[in-house]
Amino acid sequence: MAGMTQTAPESALEHIHAPLGVIHRLFETHASENAGGYSASDFGKLAQTHFQSVFGDSNAVKRIPVYDQAQTELKSGSLVRFRCMVQDPGYGEELHLSVARVMNCETGEQQQKFSQYTDAEHRLDDGWEVDYGSAANVFTEKEVAYCVSVPGQSAWAQLEVDSLESAMEAMSLGGGGSSRFAQSAEKYPIPGQRHSAALVKFYAPSTAPKASTVIDVVGIFELGHNARARETGDESAAWPCIHAIYHREVQSHELLPALPPVQPSEYAGRRAMCLTHLASVLGGDELAAQYLLLHLLSKTVRVQDAKVGKLALNLIGVPAGSEPQPAEFAFGNRASRWVGEAVSQLVPFSVSVPFNLQLLNKSSFTPNAEQGDLRAGVLQLAPGTEVLCDETCLSEGTLDERGVRNLQAMQTAIIDQTVSYVYPFQPIEMPTSLRVLVLSTGKSILHSDCEVHVSESSRRFLASVARAGPPADVRPLDPMHSEQLRQYVELARHLDFGIPKDVSDHISGEYAASRRNAHSKGEAMVTQEELALTITVARLISVSKGESELSVESWADAVALEQRRKERNAQAKQKSTSKSAAPPS
């Protein structure tokens, strides 16, 4: 096996246009080195190693056509890349006759035929047939997963294509029924959105990754068969299949633009730039911008049974729009769309969820396999996805049972960071990692970790956006600064972080002193929940500065920031109460 990659190298183009020919030559070498024997796992490793050596660097892999990017038809049997989310990892297993003993019916001559990374049967010349009774036949299993393009993937996080040739050979499958290939609309999380889907088939030693995992697959595209469709008797449609040669799990920070590393001294400048940008999006509201930045930097960390580090945020005071809500998962309110688009420019995955009664009552937020097939739910999303909930479009009406369950599912995702997968006998709570931002006119019907009333000037600005769109003098970020901010947000979010013992002791002492002082004055004492929120804010302030440890200074900044937020919220509540109590004019 060690000599496999030492043969005369085939061109990269041959690997793209005729990968099965390359696979067959690899098998011949493998068989000769193993005295005609065959190990599915060993050969799978060999194929992975060989193709990874050919497309090992970032420039070489860009030559492989992207399955869901360009517009023209892709040739069956060619090599493709597919960045996808595993929607249903248990779509089934298939048996395949990888090594067949074939016999000439006239002469009795026997040969060995190989077939893998394809659903096609062995192609035999006239007079030859498979000897199905031969002990030399080798059947292998392939795991099948239903994979879809990543929900909410930003344009800047898409796979890159190096050449026009690669782009013209790729294929995009539409979710609106225009594709000639079979596709299940119920298996994509966001109803009505165009997307690509394929049955990805994994060969030993690889196995199908778990649900909601984002992967980059390199494999052979083919119009193959769907074992489940055969079971139901529906074999009329061609199912797009990708026979995975190798794949890797994708982390969000790996999607960053290729920029020089951020030095510790540069974090302050990036932080200031990001705060200035977010404040401009919110009409100059610096306090709300600070909390929006902390929200974007948050991530769920599981410590024993606790989920720490998350900061679901409710921005209160976003005015309702006058435009009708579209009958799809998109924001009709220009103000909500304005904030949502600004956020989506900074994160790789973001999904808009309008709290429209019709959509709440007819959609399903949780995946469901009660009928045997795992149907997607709105909350079956990639780890780290930004979920933008628009409550400004919620009108008077009745939530039916499904609508209530959907809101409960969203609330569970916010608090527990779990999504319920409904199976025939019982639901299974699966861990997730979603950041939830709720935009609402008044206090949200959902409980968030943190609530911030936007300022009066921000309300007026967003009201103007809702009426007529963003003003012409608010300029979007240029491409260079956009890339710098994306890099900053992702890197800061993934910084290792700890709380030194002396700082922990300082916080404990300050907390105990504040409770004693409040008790002596008969005032409300700081609760454990408020302390936990302040610690989360302090942690996020620290990472926003590029710090890996909490300092006393960042703790003091968090206490002061929380005090400002509470004062503003109290003033907004008092103003709202005064308006309600005022006699009609």
Side-chain angles (χ1 to χ4, degrees):
M1 285 182 55
M4 285 306 302
T5 57
Q6 303 303 316
T7 57
E10 299 89 352
S11 69
L13 283 178
E14 182 184 10
H15 284 71
I16 293 171
H17 295 298
L20 285 174
V22 177
I23 292 287
H24 276 268
R25 288 198 294 276
L26 287 174
F27 173 75
E28 290 170 0
T29 307
H30 171 76
S32 66
E33 292 183 351
N34 292 274
Y38 169 78
S39 163
S41 182
D42 287 346
F43 183 75
K45 291 178 184 177
L46 176 63
Q48 291 175 10
T49 302
H50 180 81
F51 275 78
Q52 285 173 329
S53 70
V54 175
F55 300 104
D57 65 75
S58 58
N59 289 324
V61 78
K62 290 176 187 176
R63 301 187 68 181
I64 303 175
V66 175
Y67 173 67
D68 61 346
Q69 184 160 350
Q71 303 301 318
T72 54
E73 183 177 335
L74 182 69
K75 179 184 175 183
S76 186
S78 59
L79 199 68
V80 295
R81 289 180 291 155
F82 187 25
R83 175 165 295 158
C84 55
M85 185 188 79
V86 180
Q87 189 275 325
D88 187 352
Y91 204 72
E93 294 181 345
E94 296 176 356
L95 269 180
H96 182 72
L97 182 57
S98 294
V99 180
R101 181 68 65 178
V102 299
M103 183 173 60
N104 187 300
C105 301
E106 295 182 2
T107 66
E109 180 187 354
Q110 292 188 345
Q111 294 181 359
Q112 185 173 250
K113 290 289 186 179
F114 174 75
S115 174
Q116 194 159 299
Y117 302 103
T118 177
D119 287 336
E121 301 294 337
H122 291 270
R123 294 186 177 90
L124 302 177
D125 295 331
D126 292 341
W128 290 82
E129 64 180 24
V130 176
D131 180 6
Y132 287 102
S134 173
N137 291 336
V138 178
F139 288 87
T140 57
E141 279 190 347
K142 43 192 170 185
E143 293 188 15
V144 184
Y146 193 96
C147 298
V148 297
S149 46
V150 186
Q153 183 171 216
S154 300
W156 63 266
Q158 303 279 351
L159 285 169
E160 294 181 82
V161 175
D162 184 52
S163 65
L164 178 62
E165 176 187 10
S166 295
M168 292 300 292
E169 289 189 358
M171 175 185 63
S172 179
L173 298 180
S178 59
S179 170
R180 68 185 180 88
F181 304 120
Q183 201 178 42
S184 175
E186 294 178 332
K187 295 183 76 65
Y188 192 69
I190 311 302
Q193 286 197 358
R194 295 182 69 252
H195 67 280
S196 298
L199 300 179
V200 179
K201 304 191 176 186
F202 297 89
Y203 295 78
S206 298
T207 56
K210 64 182 181 180
S212 298
T213 304
V214 177
I215 58 175
D216 278 350
V217 178
V218 172
I220 300 174
F221 169 75
E222 180 181 60
L223 296 181
H225 67 258
N226 179 349
R228 290 192 181 179
R230 284 185 172 181
E231 291 171 5
T232 60
D234 179 16
E235 298 185 59
S236 58
W239 282 83
C241 301
I242 297 176
H243 298 268
I245 297 175
Y246 66 90
H247 73 278
R248 69 178 188 90
E249 186 172 340
V250 178
Q251 306 294 332
S252 60
H253 62 274
E254 296 174 339
L255 307 178
L256 291 172
L259 297 176
V262 180
Q263 301 302 318
S265 60
E266 296 178 300
Y267 272 89
R270 297 283 180 95
R271 181 178 188 270
M273 187 197 310
C274 197
L275 286 172
T276 299
H277 170 62
L278 295 176
S280 70
V281 170
L282 297 172
D285 190 341
E286 295 180 358
L287 179 63
Q290 289 200 59
Y291 277 95
L292 182 54
L293 172 59
L294 300 184
H295 162 76
L296 292 173
L297 298 180
S298 66
K299 68 172 183 177
T300 303
V301 178
R302 286 171 168 79
V303 181
Q304 296 178 348
D305 294 332
K307 287 92 173 175
V308 300
K310 66 185 181 71
L311 189 70
L313 179 63
N314 177 201
L315 289 181
I316 304 173
V318 180
S322 57
E323 292 185 330
Q325 171 62 37
E328 57 189 23
F329 273 74
F331 289 169
N333 183 354
R334 289 194 186 100
S336 301
R337 190 161 64 243
W338 164 253
V339 176
E341 288 175 352
V343 169
S344 68
Q345 287 297 310
L346 300 179
V347 296
F349 312 125
S350 63
V351 168
S352 301
V353 183
F355 278 18
N356 171 280
L357 278 177
Q358 182 182 3
L359 292 179
L360 287 173
N361 287 335
K362 76 176 185 179
S363 305
S364 178
F365 281 22
T366 55
N368 190 303
E370 288 181 303
Q371 304 302 318
D373 187 30
L374 182 63
R375 300 178 180 180
V378 172
L379 292 175
Q380 188 184 5
L381 300 170
T385 297
E386 180 78 24
V387 182
L388 300 149
C389 300
D390 182 15
E391 258 187 51
T392 67
C393 62
L394 187 61
S395 56
E396 292 186 5
T398 302
L399 273 178
D400 62 19
E401 184 180 354
R402 172 177 285 191
V404 172
R405 286 201 306 268
N406 285 336
L407 288 181
Q408 290 173 339
M410 182 67 77
Q411 187 66 80
T412 300
I414 291 173
I415 296 176
D416 298 332
Q417 285 289 289
T418 59
V419 173
S420 179
Y421 282 59
V422 182
Y423 287 97
F425 299 106
Q426 65 177 17
I428 298 177
E429 299 298 323
M430 302 289 286
T432 190
S433 180
L434 305 176
R435 290 186 308 277
V436 181
L437 172 63
V438 182
L439 306 176
S440 61
T441 303
K443 182 178 170 64
S444 172
I445 57 178
L446 296 172
H447 175 73
S448 298
D449 299 311
C450 182
E451 298 172 353
V452 179
H453 285 260
V454 299
S455 65
E456 283 300 319
S457 60
S458 179
R459 287 173 184 257
R460 291 192 295 270
F461 172 80
L462 292 173
S464 172
V465 173
R467 286 192 304 271
D473 59 345
V474 178
R475 300 174 63 183
L477 280 173
D478 62 76
M480 182 187 72
H481 288 121
S482 296
E483 290 189 347
Q484 289 178 341
L485 292 189
R486 291 164 190 157
Q487 183 190 42
Y488 162 71
V489 169
E490 286 295 326
L491 293 182
R493 186 189 302 127
H494 288 90
L495 283 175
D496 292 330
F497 185 79
I499 302 179
K501 186 178 183 306
D502 60 328
V503 178
S504 178
D505 292 341
H506 174 83
I507 294 172
S508 298
E510 192 174 281
Y511 173 63
S514 71
R515 286 179 64 88
R516 285 195 301 271
N517 186 48
H519 178 71
S520 65
K521 294 181 179 180
E523 298 174 346
M525 293 186 287
V526 177
T527 64
Q528 286 279 355
E529 187 180 48
E530 290 174 319
L531 174 64
L533 175 57
T534 308
I535 291 174
T536 297
V537 169
R539 174 193 178 278
L540 296 172
I541 287 176
S542 293
V543 298
S544 75
K545 300 175 182 177
E547 299 170 353
S548 59
E549 288 188 342
L550 179 60
S551 63
V552 173
E553 291 76 17
S554 290
W555 168 253
D557 290 344
V559 172
L561 191 65
E562 274 292 275
Q563 185 61 34
R564 288 176 60 195
R565 180 183 71 87
K566 291 176 182 177
E567 289 174 356
R568 178 186 284 188
N569 287 355
Q571 292 170 1
K573 183 177 180 181
Q574 183 179 21
K575 187 172 182 179
S576 177
T577 302
S578 300
K579 283 185 178 181
S580 301
S585 55

